[in-house]
Amino acid sequence: MKRYKQWGLLICVLMVVGLLLPRWTVLSGQDNGRIHQHRVARQPDAGCSCDGRALCTHLPLVLVDTGGKSIPGKNTEQFDFYGERIHTLADDGRSVINARLSIVDHPDGNNHPGDPPTVTTLSECRLRGHSSRAFEKASYQLSFIEENGDQRPLEVMGMSPHHQWVLNGPYLDKSLIRNYIWYNISGEIMDYAPNVRFCELLVNGEYRGVYLMVETITNGQDCRLHLRETIKDTVATSYLVRMDRPTESGDTRTGNIDTYLERTMIATNMDMSIEYPGRGSLTKKMAAEVSRELSAFERALYSYDYDSEKYGYQNWIDTSSFIDYYLINEFCKNEDAGRYSTYLYKNLQEKYRLCVWDFNNACNNFPTDVTPPEGLEKTQNLWFSMLLRDEEFVRRTMDRYQELRQSYFSDEYLNQYIDETVKYLGPAIQRNTDRWSAYIEGDQLLPAERNVHSQGEAVEQLKDWLRQRGEWMDENIHILQRYCHPSWNRAYNY
């Protein structure tokens, strides 16, 4: 009898360990191969033997030399057909200029502007963003090129080689860390999220503050999307589609191709563009096939058979990817998700997946609208108004939330991650504050009481909002069940 009790006790212990192991793994920093800069890079207290006359930083340094030319892409007072502001062009009429870019990133010591660079390249450069184009601390789109104009893929700050990059300047986000923490946490949860590194930027010798070097969402090696090459002499292809404001889309638009796609674009005021394959590889027949598949997916989703095994949406999407995308953006109430800068990709012979992008306005940081920690924000966005009609989708979403709340969404994990990140930035925070003191001390959010006036206050505000958000969702995640209730879906279920 005693022997059976011992076996029973052992089994109970093993069950408890099995339940807690994923949480312990997450909180101890064993992170599925995702590289978190603040955990592996040189720390701010490592010291330096320099004389202190030049900028000295433990962060990578990015130096941009435009040769005195203005970087195009600023807003003008003119508007285009879509009602969007027309942007300035370079003197030669292009939307970009060629600039010399250097990166100083030495792992065995601090970085200084006069140190030998670890990367040098010619780069096409322009301002990027929508409302952020008006910010004094601008963000930049970079495309590395050879002297003859060919693409030049390069490894940057430990991130896999590519020629396209974004230099994101956290300006509206006074905490400096929203994009960094949510790209990295999303990268632990989903198949893919853009890699990101903190750095400091100088443009023509002028200090511009703390920036983030971010992978653009496209096909590439290692940490990029693993999209297979097109099949020669066929229209079959892996592809990446971006949904955004019409002026932010690329040249290969899929608009006006089918009533189902028009429904999405008109309802969201977005346009769709094929980002991959690029212009050099994408044929008209391939674009037509992409359009056909997208229309077939939406036709299944918006039909009376939306949840059927044979004809329903699940034949088209990787449900886990859509659930994780929803929960990440719902948890932090990311205002732009499903409205702007929304990325959908599909590998050959696989299903649609979503990719996160841009968290600057998340966690109650939208300039004109309060986003309180209470309420569900994303239930009617894009395709989720239909997906949440399905009882199975809702059940899986609620179960997944409980899993994430015990790991990446837990107060313990989020607070620890934020504190570690702030500690890693170290003295770079004060340099950024000194550079942008007038902005940081000002009021940019409405109503005025939402504003804080230091990076430290912004961090505490962020942590407090996340704590309240988690508490509210713990008590109210079951509200999702109303969206799949028969009384809500009578038109579809009868």
Side-chain angles (χ1 to χ4, degrees):
M1 191 69 171
K2 183 178 180 180
R3 181 181 178 184
Y4 290 122
K5 287 182 178 179
Q6 290 174 337
W7 275 109
L9 179 61
L10 178 60
I11 291 171
C12 290
V13 170
L14 290 174
M15 289 176 65
V16 171
V17 171
L19 289 170
L20 293 179
L21 185 58
R23 178 178 172 84
W24 289 342
T25 300
V26 167
L27 297 181
S28 65
Q30 300 172 26
D31 291 310
N32 306 326
R34 179 84 179 187
I35 294 177
H36 300 251
Q37 182 187 20
H38 70 279
R39 292 175 179 163
V40 301
R42 182 175 174 83
Q43 297 301 305
D45 56 359
C48 185
S49 60
C50 70
D51 59 14
R53 296 180 182 178
L55 172 62
C56 173
T57 176
H58 65 293
L59 297 179
L61 266 178
V62 178
L63 313 174
V64 176
D65 182 358
T66 71
K69 299 177 182 177
S70 297
I71 300 176
K74 292 183 178 180
N75 289 334
T76 70
E77 296 302 315
Q78 297 176 299
F79 296 86
D80 65 9
F81 173 81
Y82 298 99
E84 300 287 345
R85 288 187 182 274
I86 294 174
H87 306 136
T88 60
L89 299 175
D91 292 341
D92 59 5
R94 296 193 302 160
S95 61
V96 298
I97 61 166
N98 291 352
R100 293 286 172 183
L101 182 140
S102 302
I103 297 174
V104 182
D105 183 20
H106 297 289
D108 55 349
N110 280 7
N111 301 303
H112 314 82
D115 291 346
T118 50
V119 173
T120 57
T121 185
L122 188 64
S123 178
E124 294 179 338
C125 183
R126 65 170 175 83
L127 301 187
R128 71 171 307 279
H130 187 255
S131 58
S132 60
R133 287 177 188 258
F135 295 164
E136 189 178 356
K137 185 181 181 182
S139 294
Y140 304 95
Q141 182 81 31
L142 304 175
S143 295
F144 299 167
I145 57 174
E146 304 281 1
E147 296 293 334
N148 62 4
D150 291 345
Q151 298 173 357
R152 189 184 183 193
L154 292 172
E155 180 181 304
V156 172
M157 303 175 199
M159 295 182 284
S160 62
H162 209 271
H163 72 285
Q164 293 181 341
W165 300 89
V166 166
L167 266 174
N168 173 256
Y171 194 54
L172 186 65
D173 176 17
K174 294 180 182 180
S175 78
L176 304 176
I177 63 176
R178 277 175 169 81
N179 268 328
Y180 179 83
I181 65 173
W182 283 111
Y183 281 148
N184 280 325
I185 291 174
S186 298
E188 295 289 358
I189 295 170
M190 304 185 72
D191 290 334
Y192 170 77
N195 270 307
V196 58
R197 300 288 191 271
F198 281 115
C199 58
E200 291 182 84
L201 174 67
L202 284 83
V203 177
N204 296 326
E206 179 192 7
Y207 180 72
R208 302 292 293 174
V210 172
Y211 272 71
L212 293 164
M213 184 70 82
V214 187
E215 289 181 344
T216 55
I217 303 174
T218 185
N219 186 47
Q221 302 174 20
D222 300 329
C223 295
R224 298 280 178 148
L225 289 177
H226 298 287
L227 298 178
R228 300 177 202 161
E229 297 296 326
T230 58
I231 299 177
K232 189 176 181 180
D233 299 327
T234 73
V235 296
T237 181
S238 301
Y239 54 89
L240 168 70
V241 173
R242 174 180 175 176
M243 288 154 280
D244 212 327
R245 297 173 179 88
T247 53
E248 292 298 313
S249 295
D251 297 328
T252 49
R253 294 179 178 173
T254 65
N256 301 319
I257 57 174
D258 188 275
T259 55
Y260 288 91
L261 287 179
E262 286 175 7
R263 173 176 180 169
T264 292
M265 290 185 287
I266 292 173
T268 58
N269 192 32
M270 293 193 297
D271 200 6
M272 290 187 177
S273 64
I274 301 172
E275 299 292 306
Y276 176 84
R279 284 174 290 179
S281 303
L282 184 70
T283 66
K284 289 184 178 180
K285 289 184 178 180
M286 285 179 182
E289 180 64 11
V290 171
S291 301
R292 185 199 65 77
E293 286 193 345
L294 282 166
S295 298
F297 156 53
E298 292 208 325
R299 189 176 292 111
L301 181 65
Y302 291 110
S303 73
Y304 290 108
D305 296 315
Y306 69 98
D307 59 349
S308 74
E309 183 176 345
K310 186 174 182 179
Y311 301 108
Y313 71 84
Q314 66 269 26
N315 294 297
W316 289 96
I317 73 169
D318 182 299
T319 306
S320 295
S321 172
F322 278 66
I323 288 172
D324 286 342
Y325 179 91
Y326 169 77
L327 286 173
I328 290 166
N329 288 290
E330 183 69 85
F331 189 82
C332 66
K333 279 197 170 183
N334 186 8
E335 287 278 343
D336 287 347
R339 297 172 63 218
Y340 309 119
S341 300
T342 299
Y343 291 84
L344 180 78
Y345 64 98
K346 184 178 182 295
N347 217 334
L348 277 172
Q349 299 177 334
E350 294 182 7
K351 297 181 179 181
Y352 287 115
R353 290 181 172 88
L354 287 166
C355 183
V356 299
W357 184 255
D358 194 359
F359 292 90
N360 271 323
N361 291 330
C363 306
N364 195 27
N365 201 48
F366 197 78
T368 57
D369 297 322
V370 176
T371 47
E374 303 82 18
L376 295 175
E377 184 84 12
K378 299 298 172 186
T379 57
Q380 301 304 303
N381 276 41
L382 202 57
W383 301 297
F384 292 103
S385 62
M386 285 300 302
L387 293 171
L388 289 169
R389 296 178 187 271
D390 179 21
E391 291 184 18
E392 179 64 14
F393 187 89
V394 169
R395 182 193 65 77
R396 288 184 59 180
T397 300
M398 293 173 61
D399 289 346
R400 180 60 166 158
Y401 172 75
Q402 299 300 335
E403 293 176 7
L404 294 174
R405 186 66 169 137
Q406 293 301 311
S407 54
Y408 299 106
F409 288 179
S410 71
D411 292 345
E412 180 183 2
Y413 184 79
L414 290 171
N415 286 335
Q416 178 180 325
Y417 199 98
I418 290 170
D419 289 343
E420 289 175 350
T421 300
V422 171
K423 182 180 179 181
Y424 169 68
L425 285 175
I429 294 173
Q430 189 59 52
R431 287 192 291 270
N432 187 83
T433 297
D434 292 342
R435 176 62 180 83
W436 304 109
S437 58
Y439 174 83
I440 292 172
E441 294 168 5
D443 291 347
Q444 291 77 30
L445 306 180
L446 297 174
E449 57 265 23
R450 294 169 62 202
N451 290 280
V452 294
H453 303 104
S454 74
Q455 192 268 349
E457 289 179 294
V459 168
E460 291 306 311
Q461 184 185 62
L462 171 61
K463 291 166 70 173
D464 186 57
W465 189 92
L466 286 169
R467 177 188 57 78
Q468 294 182 60
R469 180 60 172 159
E471 290 176 354
W472 187 90
M473 288 195 69
D474 290 346
E475 296 293 326
N476 295 278
I477 190 66
H478 65 275
I479 290 175
L480 289 176
Q481 292 175 312
R482 74 169 57 167
Y483 296 101
C484 63
H485 193 273
S487 63
W488 189 278
N489 301 312
R490 188 176 301 276
Y492 280 90
N493 295 341
Y494 294 95

